[in-house]
Amino acid sequence: MSMSFYTADSLKAELHERGWRLTPQREIILDIFQNLAAGRHLSAEELCELLQKEGHDISLSTIYRTVKLMARMGILRELELAEDHKHYEINQPHHHHHHLICVRCNQTIEFKNDSVLKIGDKTSKKEGYHLLDCQLTIHAVCPACQRSILPV
Amino acid sequence: MSMSFYTADSLKAELHERGWRLTPQREIILDIFQNLAAGRHLSAEELCELLQKEGHDISLSTIYRTVKLMARMGILRELELAEDHKHYEINQPHHHHHHLICVRCNQTIEFKNDSVLKIGDKTSKKEGYHLLDCQLTIHAVCPACQRSILPV
DNA sequence: AATTTAAAAGAGAGTTATTCTCAACAAGCT
DNA sequence: AGCTTGTTGAGAATAACTCTCTTTTAAATT
Ligand SMILES: [Zn+2]
Ligand SMILES: [Zn+2]
Ligand SMILES: [Zn+2]
Ligand SMILES: [Zn+2]
């Protein structure tokens, strides 16, 4: 699994390894995710608003490019919740969690489970893959929706 | 977990329970997925092409509506692979599998792991949710992409 | 078998998250 | 300081998916 904490310098080093550059935008976005409350995740739009609130005008194009880049580097987790857009959060194995989603009302519960990461480690190692992240997504019907007779 | 095999009759019964109807379109689409090779999954577009090849003209609207409906009933699994669209396959616990995806080239390996379903069962039961499906998605870098110096 | 009612299908427009394009800019090397 | 090339920003383009509305039809009722 990738390292659990990135500084501007370690990000710079890892970018340079691949011939890429550390820009102020990338540094600021990394900083936002580093300082996000545990368990909080942002969509591209939410990240854009948060950046503006803090006085940083970074274009949506750059935001989309940066979170995708960081996800592919293993710095961010790309979460597919039951919505029509992606969420991102910093990738720290210690705070690893997974999602239990109601397919009717989309209510989502986060839960932890240590064996999931072990399965991910074992499986990727066996195939020679370099693990970045693993996510268990459970689709189910929540208690409230089980009681309701309403369609969907 | 839901039943592992649906006939037209059992689908009809389950639809009627909720005041819904069994249409020829729904029956045909169920049949397609029942007869799909194990491990094969279809996008909405792919399903549409396959239906046309077999002489069934079902509109894309209906296809999108039907796979979404069947996923919410637990009949189909909705897979979020590393592409820009969803895939569907029949939901049979016996053939349950999960996905190891290269974030650079999107190559996907399917693998089985019995404990994943157990974790899903335990977690949903604990929260009072009715389990429909659970999927472990591993994001990683494949051996070929580890060797390549190319960006992305 | 005919009637009735509401669910579902089909066609196409509409939505929107995300990607693409390209000119202007700037990080980092010499 | 100058050069090379990766990156940004703005907006257009893309495409998966949903919505709207009219027509059709499943299936319950008479
Ligand atoms: Zn989360
Ligand atoms: Zn619910
Ligand atoms: Zn599969
Ligand atoms: Zn690869």
Side-chain angles (χ1 to χ4, degrees), chain B residues 39 41 77 79 81 89 97 99 110:
Chain B
H41 24 67
R77 294 221 292 168
L79 305 176
L81 304 183
E89 66 183 15
H97 59 269
H99 298 91
E110 304 192 344

Side-chain angles (χ1 to χ4, degrees), chain A residues 18 20 69 71-73 78 80-81 83 86 98 100-104 106-111 113 115-116 119-124 127-143 146 149-152, chain B residues 18 20 69 71-73 78 80-81 83 86 98 100-104 106-111 113 115-116 119-124 127-143 146 149-152:
Chain A
R18 314 189 195 194
W20 300 338
L69 176 77
R72 286 177 176 178
M73 292 174 72
E78 189 176 62
E80 308 261 14
L81 305 184
E83 297 170 44
K86 289 172 177 142
H98 306 280
L100 170 60
I101 304 170
C102 175
V103 298
R104 297 201 195 163
N106 283 356
Q107 195 191 56
T108 299
I109 290 182
E110 302 192 346
F111 66 94
N113 186 298
S115 37
V116 172
I119 295 171
D121 260 324
K122 197 188 72 182
T123 306
S124 52
E127 302 286 350
Y129 279 53
H130 171 70
L131 179 64
L132 293 175
D133 181 37
C134 62
Q135 304 175 27
L136 178 58
T137 305
I138 304 179
H139 294 131
V141 182
C142 78
Q146 286 173 51
I149 324 166
L150 297 169
V152 172
Chain B
R18 314 190 194 191
W20 299 339
L69 175 78
R72 288 179 175 177
M73 291 175 73
E78 189 175 65
E80 308 261 13
L81 304 183
E83 298 170 43
K86 289 173 175 137
H98 305 279
L100 170 61
I101 304 170
C102 175
V103 298
R104 297 202 195 161
N106 283 357
Q107 193 189 56
T108 300
I109 291 183
E110 304 192 344
F111 66 95
N113 186 297
S115 38
V116 173
I119 296 171
D121 260 325
K122 197 187 71 182
T123 306
S124 51
E127 301 285 348
Y129 278 53
H130 172 69
L131 178 64
L132 293 175
D133 181 37
C134 63
Q135 303 174 28
L136 178 59
T137 305
I138 303 178
H139 295 131
V141 183
C142 79
Q146 287 172 51
I149 324 166
L150 295 169
V152 173

Side-chain angles (χ1 to χ4, degrees), chain B residues 46-75:
Chain B
E46 289 166 342
L47 175 55
C48 191
E49 285 169 28
L50 190 51
L51 283 164
Q52 284 183 334
K53 222 176 275 175
E54 302 197 357
H56 301 294
D57 267 331
I58 300 182
S59 73
L60 254 185
S61 306
T62 298
I63 288 173
Y64 273 108
R65 276 187 297 236
T66 303
V67 293
K68 184 65 77 182
L69 175 78
M70 290 183 175
R72 288 179 175 177
M73 291 175 73
I75 297 174

Side-chain angles (χ1 to χ4, degrees), chain A residues 3-5 33-34 75 77 90-96:
Chain A
M3 68 198 334
S4 59
F5 198 81
F33 281 107
Q34 297 279 21
I75 298 174
R77 293 220 293 167
I90 199 87
N91 186 9
Q92 286 176 293
H94 312 284
H95 297 101
H96 233 223

